[in-house]
Amino acid sequence: MPMPRPRSQQAFERALRAIPGGVNSPARAFGAVGGQPIFIDRGDGPFLVDIDGHRYLDYVGSWGPLILGHRHPRVVQAVEDALHKGATFGAPTELETELAELIIALVPSIEMVRMVSSGTEAAMSALRLARGFTGRDVIVKFAGCYHGHVDSLLVQAGSSATTHGVPTSPGVPRNCTADTLVLRFNDPQGLVDAFRLHGERIAGVIVEPVAGNMGLVPPSADFLTELRRQTERYGALLIYDEVMTGFRLALGGAQALFGQKPDLTVLGKIVGGGLPVGAYGGRADIMKHVMPAGPVFQAGTLSGNPLAMAAGLATLRELRDHPPYARLEELGRRLADGLREAAAHLPHHLQRVGSMWTLFFTAAPVVDYDTARLADTARFARFFWGMMDRGIYLPCSQFEAAFLSTAHSDEHIAATIDAAREVLAAEK
Ligand SMILES: *Cc1c(COP(=O)(O)O)cnc(C)c1O
């Protein structure tokens, strides 16, 4: 039986009159699965409570930041303490240095770091720095990877191995994407070919080391190795976008997990502990090109905001003091095994790295954007709503990663598997 959600329905109708599409970020509108979004009253550990009073087990975690679940006491306390001192000063505080030092201590390749207010801003700033540092213009990205709504990175996947980018959104001038090369994820040969043709003009390569924005797609070892080899050979910078993977797959992010060393790293989500934070960092000789140490301009009125720094610090300290990664791996493995069993009679691929996962409804393994797009999105939409009506909140698109948090327990995993078995039993 579908859950009635009259208050959410009313709230959405009201929001539609005041806010484009009723939401402040498009993924929230449930467009990919049809129907209307639920409006949230509060979070509680692993749960969301909507304004109709329904409780859901949350596998979205605000799209990644909430690795400690909702309202972790240490984070709440830190933000309260900071708030009582003042919300913003536009002048340095020691909190900023403390968070910078902690990031440097935890992420192997980061020697210096600059705070901004979103992942988008961090990616945009890292690209400007890569171009300013190398004196080159061309940026390489991979189809299906998302780096925020940066003009130059809003480019579609080309079906051929190498295509000059065409803007995905109206409002992005062709000029903005003319220097963006879009390659296939997990295709080392495509990378070699692109560098042979354009290597001397490439400022940087930006990549999600584990892709989470086309659903969860792990990298091949060859792909990661070739990324480092080609960028080094041609003097281009390797930029890991760890907005999603940073502090999630390991304390040191995907780069620590795979033993890789990018030149620059883009951070967001967990680093802000649920408040708006992004950061970019890396080799000190590169970071010293950022103004006022160097000539590459980048600024922000609320950058290093004390409330956000406090939330980020509390989150990273909790992860450092009580690393949850072995436990999250175990929970993830159990959940994945259970979901595979529940989907055994259907074409499917459960893909997972640590606490990030996607159940793809497709027969072939998903290795890049083209194989991801073979998934049965109509089946996913039915699965999504079936789970919603059983109190399980999943990302509302086949092409998004789901997340576990430290607030999830064995019991929650078992309940999720039971719900999936029920929902998928109706599929043939
Ligand atoms: C979420 C995300 C971004 C954008 O971060 P925002 O804070 O939403 O601007 C960039 N890169 C990756 C990999 C992301 O997952």
Side-chain angles (χ1 to χ4, degrees):
M1 274 298 284
M3 268 186 197
R5 302 179 180 96
R7 281 173 188 260
S8 275
Q9 197 168 337
Q10 272 173 22
F12 190 52
E13 282 159 18
R14 182 176 163 198
L16 278 168
R17 291 192 286 273
I19 302 170
V23 292
N24 280 311
S25 194
R28 294 175 202 171
F30 283 22
V33 289
Q36 301 192 339
I38 56 167
F39 276 59
I40 307 303
D41 176 53
R42 63 186 187 276
D44 182 12
F47 296 108
L48 282 176
V49 180
D50 73 12
I51 59 176
D52 286 290
H54 304 306
R55 199 175 76 157
Y56 305 84
L57 189 55
D58 182 10
Y59 284 101
V60 180
S62 191
W63 303 95
L66 298 183
I67 192 169
L68 301 178
H70 295 274
R71 288 194 285 133
H72 189 279
R74 195 167 177 176
V75 180
V76 171
Q77 188 63 55
V79 176
E80 267 182 21
D81 291 349
L83 180 59
H84 287 294
K85 292 179 154 194
T88 179
F89 310 112
T93 62
E94 289 178 305
L95 284 173
E96 295 162 75
T97 314
E98 283 170 34
L99 182 52
E101 285 173 351
L102 187 50
I103 292 170
I104 290 163
L106 296 180
V107 184
S109 70
I110 297 187
E111 297 168 354
M112 293 185 95
V113 60
R114 170 60 68 82
M115 300 295 166
V116 294
S117 298
S118 70
T120 295
E121 200 187 347
M124 180 187 82
S125 307
L127 293 192
R128 183 182 302 152
L129 176 57
R131 285 168 162 155
F133 179 79
T134 58
R136 304 172 180 179
D137 289 338
V138 175
I139 295 290
V140 173
K141 80 167 289 266
F142 298 93
C145 285
Y146 178 68
H147 308 289
H149 62 94
V150 181
D151 272 344
S152 63
L153 296 180
L154 274 185
V155 285
Q156 223 157 25
S159 50
S160 53
T162 307
T163 46
H164 281 275
V166 176
T168 298
S169 169
V172 177
R174 287 189 152 270
N175 281 350
C176 282
T177 54
D179 286 322
T180 307
L181 279 177
V182 185
L183 305 184
R184 195 187 284 272
F185 192 77
N186 270 334
D187 176 14
Q189 190 56 47
L191 197 64
V192 171
D193 295 344
F195 267 93
R196 194 182 303 126
L197 278 171
H198 308 287
E200 312 290 335
R201 295 169 49 227
I202 296 174
V205 179
I206 187 164
V207 64
E208 289 182 76
V210 173
N213 286 289
M214 48 179 148
L216 194 283
V217 181
S220 70
D222 288 356
F223 180 59
L224 291 182
T225 308
E226 205 57 55
L227 275 166
R228 186 63 284 187
R229 189 183 296 151
Q230 292 298 318
T231 45
E232 226 158 48
R233 177 174 301 163
Y234 286 89
L237 301 188
L238 178 56
I239 307 166
Y240 267 21
D241 181 346
E242 296 228 40
V243 171
M244 202 179 262
T245 53
F247 312 106
R248 173 163 288 282
L249 298 184
L251 267 177
Q255 56 194 272
L257 191 66
F258 297 122
Q260 295 288 332
K261 200 158 185 252
D263 301 300
L264 292 175
T265 299
V266 181
L267 296 170
K269 300 197 168 124
I270 290 174
V271 77
L275 272 76
V277 180
Y280 64 107
R283 276 166 44 194
D285 64 313
I286 302 172
M287 291 305 293
K288 282 180 180 164
H289 283 245
V290 177
M291 196 171 277
V296 177
F297 189 77
Q298 186 266 307
T301 302
L302 293 177
S303 293
N305 172 266
L307 303 188
M309 296 298 98
L313 262 173
T315 299
L316 297 198
R317 281 177 178 154
E318 180 62 23
L319 294 172
R320 176 199 61 192
D321 297 345
H322 307 283
Y325 303 101
R327 167 89 185 134
L328 287 173
E329 170 63 26
E330 177 57 26
L331 282 179
R333 195 186 54 72
R334 226 171 286 170
L335 178 62
D337 287 350
L339 291 177
R340 281 188 189 110
E341 213 180 286
H345 59 298
L346 303 169
H348 77 280
H349 264 268
L350 188 303
Q351 305 204 157
R352 179 184 71 87
V353 178
S355 58
M356 297 168 62
W357 58 274
T358 300
L359 175 55
F360 284 105
F361 292 110
T362 173
V366 174
V367 296
D368 60 17
Y369 195 41
D370 287 339
T371 45
R373 281 188 301 183
L374 297 175
D376 183 341
T377 53
R379 173 164 283 157
F380 178 85
R382 292 192 297 273
F383 175 61
F384 170 84
W385 281 111
M387 294 299 273
M388 280 289 277
D389 288 336
R390 286 163 182 78
I392 313 280
Y393 189 77
L394 298 173
C396 54
S397 162
Q398 172 73 96
F399 308 111
E400 300 279 3
F403 301 101
L404 284 159
S405 78
T406 59
H408 288 94
S409 69
D410 291 326
E411 235 171 82
H412 300 137
I413 300 299
T416 306
I417 295 166
D418 285 346
R421 199 176 292 132
E422 251 180 66
V423 174
L424 293 176
E427 298 286 324
K428 309 214 178 341

